[in-house]
Amino acid sequence: MAPPPPGPDVLLVPRHPFTGEPWRPTDGTAPVVPLDIGVWAHLAVPGETSPIPATGALPEGVLRDDYPLPFHPRRPFLPHGRAFAHTLARLPAAREPWLRAHYDSHRGPY
C-alpha cells in the first residue's frame, strides 16, 4: 500500500465576505494565506460571478441583477517578486534545478 501524498505547504483560503475572518481548515496543519473572496474565487472557480450563494427562490419572471462584475485582470496573477523569492529561499526544494530557475528569475537586485 502506497503512503498518502504529502499535504500542502501553504493553503490559499478565502476571507469571509462579511466578517473578514479567514477560513480555517479542519486539521489546521498547514499555514494559511487569506485572500479576498473575489481573488480566491477567481483562482479556485474561474467563471463564477457570485461569491455569496443566493438562498430561496425568486418570484416568477424576476431576474437577478445583483451579481458583482466578474474579475477580469489585465495580466495574469503574479506574486510579489521579493516575497516570492524570500519564501522560496526558505524551502529546501529551492536547491532543485526546476525550482532554482524560478528563484533566480524573481530574486532580482534588491
Side-chain angles (χ1 to χ4, degrees):
M1 182 173 188
D9 293 329
V10 178
L11 295 173
L12 299 176
V13 298
R15 289 187 182 273
H16 193 277
F18 299 124
T19 65
E21 291 294 317
W23 173 81
R24 295 285 177 198
T26 54
D27 60 2
T29 56
V32 298
V33 176
L35 297 174
D36 177 78
I37 192 152
V39 174
W40 180 86
H42 177 72
L43 295 173
V45 189
E48 176 61 40
T49 60
S50 176
I52 304 169
T55 59
L58 294 173
E60 187 67 32
V62 176
L63 300 175
R64 287 190 71 96
D65 63 352
D66 61 345
Y67 288 121
L69 293 175
F71 179 64
H72 294 292
R74 293 194 171 121
R75 58 183 180 216
F77 175 76
L78 296 173
H80 185 272
R82 282 184 282 176
F84 185 64
H86 179 72
T87 303
L88 283 179
R90 295 183 295 149
L91 296 175
R95 292 175 185 86
E96 299 292 326
W98 66 273
L99 194 53
R100 181 64 188 212
H102 291 291
Y103 173 73
D104 290 338
S105 68
H106 286 88
R107 188 173 52 168
Y110 303 116

